Amino acid sequence: MLSKEDNEFISRVGPGTPMGNLMRQYWIPAMLSSELPGPDCDPVRVMLLGEKLIGFRDSMGRVGLIQNHCPHRGASLFFGRNSECGLRCVYHGWQFDVEGRCIDMPNEPPESDFKNKVKAVAYPCVERGGLVWTYMGPRETPPPLPDIEVNMLPEGEYVIIPSYVESNWLQAVEGEIDTSHTGFLHFGAIQPEDVQEGTFLHYTVKDRAPRYSVVDTDYGAMYGAYRPAKPGYVYWRIAHFNFPFYTQPPEGVLGHSVIMNAWVPMDDTHTMSFVMLRKDKMESGRPSRLPIQGNSEKYPDMQVPMLPRTTDWFGRFRPAVNADNDYLIDRELQRQPDSYSGIRYLASQDRAMQESMGGIYDRTQERLASSDVMVIRVRRRLLAAARALAEQQIVPPGVDHPEVYRNRSGGVLLPEGADWIEDTKELRKAFVEHPEVAAQLPQP
């Protein structure tokens, strides 16, 4: 468990906090490119790291992310007129470009040069792989974007699933790197005889208490969760935590699966999730993270229905299955052998657990076990990196080395006694195709 001081330190991400300062060293996924569908489209409210910002696309198609309050008298630029290569405050007509420069001040005399002395806070933005990335850090020249494989694929070869999570960002990250919950929360109702022998799912439900090996990496941390497989083999689930808030879950087959999940802090108690998948990981419109053998009624869809979008700070990508309706838990279904949680959607099952902890869970109350070894390691890495930055100005892992993000995750069978790190080195490399692995598909 964490001390009260460390829990506050690691959870808070607002301006001036050590963890917020750490995250500002990196490029941050701010929104989908499709949220700003064309030049001079409607502005969008965006909450990032506790800052209220306004996203807009100017007449030339460039994306800007600017402070909410007009520098003049504080009216919200959300109500601004987006035209003529800038966002114009409707209170007095002051207009700002994507770099925050005041380019027009029509309520001042023509001879006034005051507009040249006024600048709004604006963060540089670039678009790649369907995402708008922004840099909120102190450098005049930002670092390179991370080499996230799925975010570097050509248009049409990737899928992004955004979702709002009403909890602290770290609760979402820790839910993703906690692999032992899969055999209970998601597949607790499935018995080994329900699924085909020799599949990853069969091994998972046959032994729901895997052992773990965890190592530090130059991008964060990696774990291998292992359990017995067919005679002479061990089933390994290999996954990653990447600084500052990315996870690569062990879904699909190692060497083929291309996935990255971003858990972007909106503020201390709200998170925006961007699940990025290579498109060939989708089957019939569903992510292949779902098992495909056995009784299909036990394997609900992942994509949760969304509520109508609103324009408030937390109105983007809100799941219709949420705390207000108890995640539509069906107690009768829960009593039946076909469901463990009684909650239909896999993503809703995760969200129910993470959000039920509260906005920021009091981790001084935890009683961690051996299955939490990856959670413990990631906390230590985050705390150490944030303190090293705050106290010694040491640049956090991965900021200046985009290549360290070139990893893949997934499941693999290895002979008993194999060196899981050395023997999966090639399969974990991004941007490398493995026809011998693809020939094994489909696998759960």
Side-chain angles (χ1 to χ4, degrees), residues 166 185 304 307 319-334 339 341-345 347-357:
E166 197 167 356
L185 179 64
V304 182
L307 292 172
V321 182
N322 55 50
D324 291 341
N325 50 37
D326 289 326
Y327 308 94
L328 299 181
I329 186 169
D330 185 332
R331 294 295 187 181
E332 285 304 313
L333 179 63
Q334 190 182 48
S339 177
S341 69
I343 298 172
R344 178 183 176 191
Y345 298 95
S348 298
Q349 294 164 7
D350 286 325
R351 186 175 291 107
M353 300 302 101
Q354 294 155 16
E355 294 182 350
S356 68
M357 299 175 186

Side-chain angles (χ1 to χ4, degrees), residues 115-414:
K115 71 177 183 180
N116 299 325
K117 302 175 183 179
V118 175
K119 196 171 190 298
V121 174
Y123 296 114
C125 296
V126 297
E127 294 182 85
R128 190 182 72 183
L131 289 175
V132 173
W133 295 79
T134 189
Y135 177 70
M136 303 172 70
R139 298 187 185 186
E140 185 173 337
T141 300
L145 286 170
D147 286 358
I148 294 174
E149 180 180 13
V150 67
N151 184 245
M152 300 170 73
L153 295 175
E155 183 72 27
E157 294 187 13
Y158 59 83
V159 174
I160 304 176
I161 305 173
S163 184
Y164 163 79
V165 182
E166 197 167 356
S167 77
N168 180 252
W169 70 279
L170 189 58
Q171 286 162 214
V173 167
E174 291 177 350
E176 188 82 331
I177 60 177
D178 165 19
T179 193
S180 71
H181 82 273
T182 303
F184 298 93
L185 179 64
H186 301 318
F187 304 138
I190 301 174
Q191 301 305 313
E193 59 270 20
D194 293 337
V195 290
Q196 180 181 329
E197 289 191 23
T199 63
F200 290 173
L201 180 59
H202 178 79
Y203 302 136
T204 297
V205 299
K206 189 175 180 180
D207 183 346
R208 302 181 196 267
R211 275 52 172 181
Y212 300 87
S213 180
V214 177
V215 295
D216 290 344
T217 64
D218 49 8
Y219 54 82
M222 174 175 67
Y223 76 78
Y226 59 97
R227 46 169 61 89
K230 62 185 180 180
Y233 283 84
V234 176
Y235 168 40
W236 287 84
R237 286 167 57 85
I238 297 173
H240 312 276
F241 164 76
N242 303 261
F243 272 94
F245 43 55
Y246 301 103
T247 57
Q248 290 176 273
E251 297 170 359
V253 180
L254 184 64
H256 178 76
S257 179
V258 181
I259 184 171
M260 183 70 84
N261 297 349
W263 305 95
V264 182
M266 302 174 77
D267 61 12
D268 292 342
T269 57
H270 302 86
T271 302
M272 185 62 69
S273 164
F274 297 103
V275 176
M276 297 170 271
L277 299 157
R278 189 164 70 177
K279 203 166 188 178
D280 64 6
K281 296 300 297 170
M282 306 288 285
E283 295 182 17
S284 302
R286 305 184 320 174
S288 67
R289 71 192 313 180
L290 303 178
I292 58 175
Q293 289 93 355
N295 182 353
S296 62
E297 293 179 0
K298 295 185 181 180
Y299 310 137
D301 294 338
M302 177 190 172
Q303 289 190 258
V304 182
M306 292 290 169
L307 292 172
R309 180 168 177 159
T310 64
T311 58
D312 64 83
W313 295 108
F314 303 111
R316 301 158 55 218
F317 309 116
R318 296 172 302 148
V321 182
N322 55 50
D324 291 341
N325 50 37
D326 289 326
Y327 308 94
L328 299 181
I329 186 169
D330 185 332
R331 294 295 187 181
E332 285 304 313
L333 179 63
Q334 190 182 48
R335 293 184 180 95
Q336 303 304 313
D338 285 353
S339 177
Y340 190 79
S341 69
I343 298 172
R344 178 183 176 191
Y345 298 95
L346 268 71
S348 298
Q349 294 164 7
D350 286 325
R351 186 175 291 107
M353 300 302 101
Q354 294 155 16
E355 294 182 350
S356 68
M357 299 175 186
I360 299 177
Y361 180 60
D362 179 4
R363 295 180 177 87
T364 66
Q365 302 301 307
E366 290 178 327
R367 296 297 180 266
L368 300 182
S370 62
S371 58
D372 300 306
V373 61
M374 181 64 170
V375 169
I376 295 168
R377 183 66 62 94
V378 167
R379 290 178 184 178
R380 289 175 177 171
R381 294 284 278 149
L382 285 165
L383 287 167
R387 289 193 171 114
L389 175 65
E391 298 168 7
Q392 304 173 56
Q393 291 73 56
I394 296 176
V395 178
V399 170
D400 291 316
H401 298 281
E403 71 280 358
V404 302
Y405 292 87
R406 293 175 168 240
N407 304 296
R408 288 183 181 174
S409 58
V412 64
L413 298 184
L414 295 177

Side-chain angles (χ1 to χ4, degrees), residues 45-85:
R45 289 188 174 103
V46 179
M47 179 81 78
L48 277 181
L49 302 183
E51 280 196 57
K52 293 180 176 179
L53 304 167
I54 305 299
F56 69 103
R57 190 182 296 276
D58 74 5
S59 306
M60 299 176 63
R62 299 174 300 183
V63 174
L65 200 60
I66 195 169
Q67 67 183 65
N68 174 48
H69 297 292
C70 177
H72 180 208
R73 297 270 300 282
S76 175
L77 291 173
F78 171 77
F79 300 103
R81 296 171 58 92
N82 187 13
S83 63
E84 300 173 308
C85 284

